[in-house]
Structures are given as structure tokens and as C-alpha cells.
Amino acid sequence: MAAEMSAALGPSPARRDALTRRIRLLVAATIAYNVIEAVTALAAGTLASSTALIGFGLDSVIEISSAAAVAWQFSARDHAVREAREQRALRIIAVSFFALAAYVTVDAVRALTGTGEAERSIPGIVIAALSLAVMPFLSAAQRRAGRELGSASAVADSKQTLLCTYLSAVLLLGLVLNATLGWSWADPLAALAIAAIAVKEGRDAWQGKGCCAPSTAVPSVGAEADTCGCRAGCGRHN
């Protein structure tokens, strides 16, 4: 019974401080890596006329803004201020995803209709493979800390990082097919897949989807819960 009551109250103040520091560290690492990823992908994509690589680089820029929003949010001590900041940040991120999807879709269709073909890009293959190896670990670590802390924004940002893993796999496949088999059409198809995922993530960000920590996700009797199992009003506690 004591253990259940402790779980319901959430982590102790000391544990909350430790989790907050861990999230800040993970967010800083995510920003640093995504800066490198964005610069490399955008440069390589421009040189190779690769819509998929450029789209991947632009997605990295959005991930940087998402992680920066979480860092900005966690810099506030007052919960009401954090909540207000989160709402604004989620809307900005959502619009950025929609703009990314529109740009990538137009450029991919242009490439498929013969306006331009993507060249082989070894740097693009390297950065996609590296991201495929790095991003799952950053995402999992932040998601665990965010759930234990009960931070919807930290969990949402971990999903952005996980998205990069999926995009890396799609991008790597397209680039390898183009480099080894000369299938230049694989690049714009990979870009369209990136655009579709960006639309979904943009919609989720606009709706503010995110879940509480497992310890707070069990609704009390009569409490209203959302589709994630969060109690009404707890989806934004940080």
C-alpha cells in the first residue's frame, strides 16, 4: 500500500531534480547532434540535388527548435508559465512540420516528373547511417525520464527524436538504392515518405498529443481520461 501511495505521488523532490537535469542534458545533446546533422544533410543534399536529404536536413532544424522549446520551457520555475510556453511552442513546431511537408512534396513531385535527378551522395549515406545508430538511444533515454517525471513535452520531444530514426531508415534506403542501382526515383519517393510522416507529426503537435508518466497515468474513480490514459489536466505537468 505504501509503495502504491508513493507511486501515485510521483517521484520525490530530489528525484525530480535529477530527472530534470537529465532531460536538460539529453536535450542539449540532441540539439548539438541535430546541428551537425542539419548542416551535413543540407550541404550534401544541395550538392547532390537530393530532395530527401534536404528534407531530412530541414527536419533536423525542426527537431532543434523542438528541443530548444523544451529547454526554454524547463527554464521556467512556474508551472503556469511552462504550460503557456508549451502551447505556443507546439503550435510553432506544428506549422514548421506542415511547411516542411509542403516543400518536400512539391520538390519530390518535381523530381519525379523529370525536372531533376538526384546524384549519389556518400556523405548523405554516412549521416543517415549515423543517425540511425544514435537517435534511438537519445529518444529512449529522454522518453523514460519524461514519463517518470510526468512531462508531456519531454515525451513529445523524445518522439521527435524517434521520428528522426524512422526518417534516417527511409533516407538511407533511398540513398543506397540510388547509389548502388542508379534508381534516382528512390530519392523523391523517400522524400514523399518523409513528407507524410511530417504531416502526421505536425497534426499531433497541433493537437498537443502527449502522455503523463506511468505513475500518474492511471485515472482515479470518476476522473476523465484521454485516449492516452492520462487524467484530465495532467497532460502538461512538468
Side-chain angles (χ1 to χ4, degrees):
M1 178 63 71
E4 291 179 359
M5 290 181 63
S6 177
L9 293 174
S12 65
R15 180 59 176 168
R16 288 180 65 87
D17 289 343
L19 290 169
T20 298
R21 288 194 298 270
R22 183 183 302 175
I23 289 175
R24 286 173 178 165
L25 180 62
L26 290 168
V27 165
T30 300
I31 292 175
Y33 180 81
N34 273 287
V35 168
I36 297 173
E37 184 181 75
V39 171
T40 304
L42 289 173
T46 301
L47 290 174
S49 299
S50 169
T51 303
L53 261 175
I54 292 174
F56 185 72
L58 291 175
D59 176 76
S60 298
V61 173
I62 295 175
E63 288 184 49
I64 293 170
S65 67
S66 173
V70 174
W72 174 54
Q73 178 189 357
F74 270 75
S75 69
R77 295 182 178 275
D78 185 74
H79 169 67
V81 175
R82 290 200 301 267
E83 183 171 314
R85 287 182 176 184
E86 181 178 59
Q87 290 295 327
R88 289 196 296 269
L90 285 173
R91 291 299 172 90
I92 292 172
I93 292 170
V95 171
S96 299
F97 268 116
F98 293 144
L100 166 65
Y103 169 81
V104 170
T105 298
V106 170
D107 222 27
V109 171
R110 197 166 56 85
L112 285 171
T113 54
T115 304
E117 289 188 357
E119 300 176 2
R120 299 175 182 179
S121 176
I122 299 303
I125 292 175
V126 171
I127 192 64
L130 185 60
S131 297
L132 192 58
V134 171
M135 287 303 178
F137 295 101
L138 284 175
S139 175
Q142 186 173 338
R143 185 165 59 254
R144 284 195 299 268
R147 283 178 174 171
E148 184 176 350
L149 185 61
S151 171
S153 60
V155 174
D157 186 56
S158 76
K159 292 180 180 178
Q160 301 288 355
T161 306
L162 185 60
L163 168 66
C164 185
T165 303
Y166 302 144
L167 297 185
S168 300
V170 172
L171 175 65
L172 184 60
L173 178 62
L175 293 177
V176 169
L177 288 175
N178 187 24
T180 58
L181 301 177
W183 293 356
S184 59
W185 49 264
D187 185 273
L189 284 183
L192 288 175
I194 290 174
I197 296 174
V199 168
K200 178 187 180 301
E201 292 303 314
R203 185 175 65 247
D204 287 350
W206 186 270
Q207 294 171 353
K209 289 186 177 179
C211 259
C212 307
S215 60
T216 61
V218 181
S220 59
V221 177
E224 184 179 353
D226 63 16
T227 55
C228 290
C230 295
R231 290 199 310 271
C234 80
R236 293 289 182 269
H237 285 320
N238 298 302

